[in-house]
Amino acid sequence: MPTPSFERAKWSIAALFCFLGFQYGTWVSRLPALKTRLGLGAGEVGLLLMVCGAGAAASFPLVALLMRRLGSRRLSLASALCLVAVLAALSAVPNYPLALLAVCADGVAVGCLNVAMNAQGAALEKAHDRTAMSQLHATFSAGLLTAALLTSGVTSLTGSVPAHFTVAGALLLLLLAGARSGLLTDTEPVTPGGPKRSRRPALPSWTTLLLGCAMAFGTITEGAMNDWSTLYLKDVVKASASVAPLGIAVVSVMMLLARLRADRWRGRWGDGRVVRAGSAVAAAGLALALLTGGLVPTLLGFACVGLGAAAVTPCVYVAAAGHGSDALALVAAMGTTGLLAGPALIGFVAGSTSLTVGMATVAASALIVTLTAFRIPWPERRTPAPAAEPRPSSSSNSAPVRTPAGSEPPGAAS
């Protein structure tokens, strides 16, 4: 199979990120309709979301196994098809237990696709020695936005969830079909009759644990801002009901804009400096906003969080992928755990003290990322991707592109 060009592969992998954002945004946006149809209370809806996240977090052993057996390309395609099937199931589930089963399957498939598509992104950067991961993560946000717009359009015409999910499923299949031919070729997957490997699971390295720590606290910072910024503006800053949602908007817009530019920053200063500086900006900006108070300083502080945290997870994914699929799966699982535990942790702190102290915990999480980033051996600096033709490379057009092997550390790490 011929190796796709840099631009072709980048857009194909970006389609996977967009796919995941679109699929998640589609079914989450119809939670009110599912709640009404199944007669659920607020607690049951919360459990539905928790089961989805728990499925993603608990999928680590399965993801590590499937990455070794199938490789990132085939795992991406298989898990994406599973996510389309989940949409179809959610449009027809007759009761709450089956809905829980469906969203648990969704979480597992999300965990598989998340690891596989990030492995593809890391392999793209390694094969062409160019940065692209931040732009890929930006397309996830674009998928969420597109799903919200489609939901708004469909619900203005019909309230039917099956009709909505049918349209969304068709669009997802078209997106997947367009991405399929441009995905990167994997290393030879491990088969039962293939070369023997040690059956004893290897313990994670110290670097992998540091990367997992950075990912967990980075996702705590992101998740907590999405869940608590509106309430903070309303209850502490005393913003009006129409202004309070601007907290999420400011964080999201700044994060999207920063991710569109972050690959240039990575190419100029290197991943380590970008993570350290970015998380420090997030921590300092939010801390100053909490100390100053007032609507404008708070929104500026929230903007600092979106700006500073934007490149953290893309850089951590790249570094983790360089240590193999097992390391990538573990770091991704720790990131999911941070998304799950972060909002609950902030709520516990706020309940025991105040919401201001709870938000200060978010600033502390960003500071922990900064301190951890000083101990991580980041990959060497790569040039940012140009907008036009990919750089000529005789090796990249004559040999298959390989995703990181499970036991092969990155040669460029320092």
Side-chain angles (χ1 to χ4, degrees):
M1 184 176 180
T3 302
S5 67
F6 176 82
E7 289 297 323
R8 177 71 181 94
K10 185 178 80 168
W11 284 110
S12 294
I13 299 167
L16 293 178
F17 280 82
C18 184
F19 180 105
L20 185 57
F22 185 87
Q23 192 272 350
Y24 178 74
T26 296
W27 78 264
V28 169
S29 67
R30 296 313 298 267
L31 274 176
L34 293 172
K35 177 177 180 289
T36 300
R37 178 161 62 86
L38 299 176
L40 307 180
E44 291 169 313
V45 173
L47 180 60
L48 204 67
L49 293 171
M50 183 174 293
V51 165
C52 178
S59 65
F60 158 64
L62 176 65
V63 175
L65 174 64
L66 292 177
M67 278 288 290
R68 290 193 296 268
R69 293 296 180 92
L70 300 178
S72 63
R73 184 177 187 274
R74 287 196 284 178
L75 183 57
S76 295
L77 298 173
S79 55
L81 289 174
C82 289
L83 288 172
V84 176
V86 166
L87 274 188
L90 284 174
S91 69
V93 285
N95 53 54
Y96 185 57
L98 287 178
L100 288 173
L101 183 62
V103 297
C104 182
D106 183 89
V108 173
V110 165
C112 292
L113 181 55
N114 182 40
V115 171
M117 69 187 188
N118 277 287
Q120 284 275 311
L124 176 69
E125 291 200 345
K126 183 177 180 181
H128 295 272
D129 195 27
R130 296 176 187 171
T131 57
M133 189 68 91
S134 295
Q135 294 178 38
L136 296 177
H137 278 254
T139 60
F140 174 85
S141 302
L144 283 171
L145 176 60
T146 306
L149 294 175
L150 178 66
T151 300
S152 178
V154 170
T155 51
S156 67
L157 299 175
T158 174
S160 171
V161 173
H164 177 196
F165 285 7
T166 298
V167 173
L171 292 175
L172 287 171
L173 289 174
L174 287 174
L175 194 61
L176 190 61
R180 181 177 177 273
S181 62
L183 296 179
L184 302 180
T185 304
D186 298 283
T187 53
E188 190 70 24
V190 179
T191 59
K196 293 184 178 180
R197 290 191 179 189
S198 174
R199 294 183 178 272
R200 297 180 62 185
L203 294 175
S205 66
W206 177 244
T207 298
T208 300
L209 293 176
L210 287 173
L211 287 167
C213 178
M215 179 67 80
F217 283 99
T219 53
I220 284 175
T221 304
E222 288 187 39
M225 291 304 298
N226 290 331
D227 288 330
W228 290 101
S229 59
T230 300
L231 192 62
Y232 179 82
L233 285 171
K234 180 177 179 294
D235 291 352
V236 179
V237 182
K238 304 302 181 184
S240 65
S242 61
V243 173
L246 289 179
I248 295 178
V250 166
V251 175
S252 300
V253 169
M254 286 301 299
M255 185 167 289
L256 177 59
L257 294 176
R259 280 179 172 169
L260 290 174
R261 299 289 302 174
D263 285 321
R264 293 185 180 275
W265 304 339
R266 294 174 58 210
R268 183 173 182 179
W269 296 303
D271 289 10
R273 287 184 180 179
V274 169
V275 172
R276 290 190 293 268
S279 53
V281 166
L286 183 56
L288 288 173
L290 297 176
L291 291 172
T292 305
L295 178 61
V296 173
T298 299
L299 290 177
L300 289 175
F302 288 179
C304 288
V305 175
L307 173 65
V312 171
T313 52
C315 291
V316 174
Y317 273 123
V318 170
H323 291 271
S325 58
D326 287 357
L328 178 59
L330 177 59
V331 169
M334 293 182 71
T336 305
T337 302
L339 283 174
L340 286 172
L345 174 64
I346 305 308
F348 175 78
V349 173
S352 302
T353 54
S354 68
L355 186 52
T356 301
V357 177
M359 293 297 286
T361 306
V362 180
S365 297
L367 180 60
I368 291 174
V369 175
T370 305
L371 298 176
T372 305
F374 279 101
R375 305 298 302 275
I376 294 174
W378 298 97
E380 287 183 353
R381 188 184 311 172
R382 289 170 176 153
T383 57
E389 289 294 323
R391 186 179 61 190
S393 174
S394 58
S395 61
S396 65
N397 290 323
S398 60
V401 178
R402 299 181 179 272
T403 51
S407 58
E408 183 179 342
S414 59

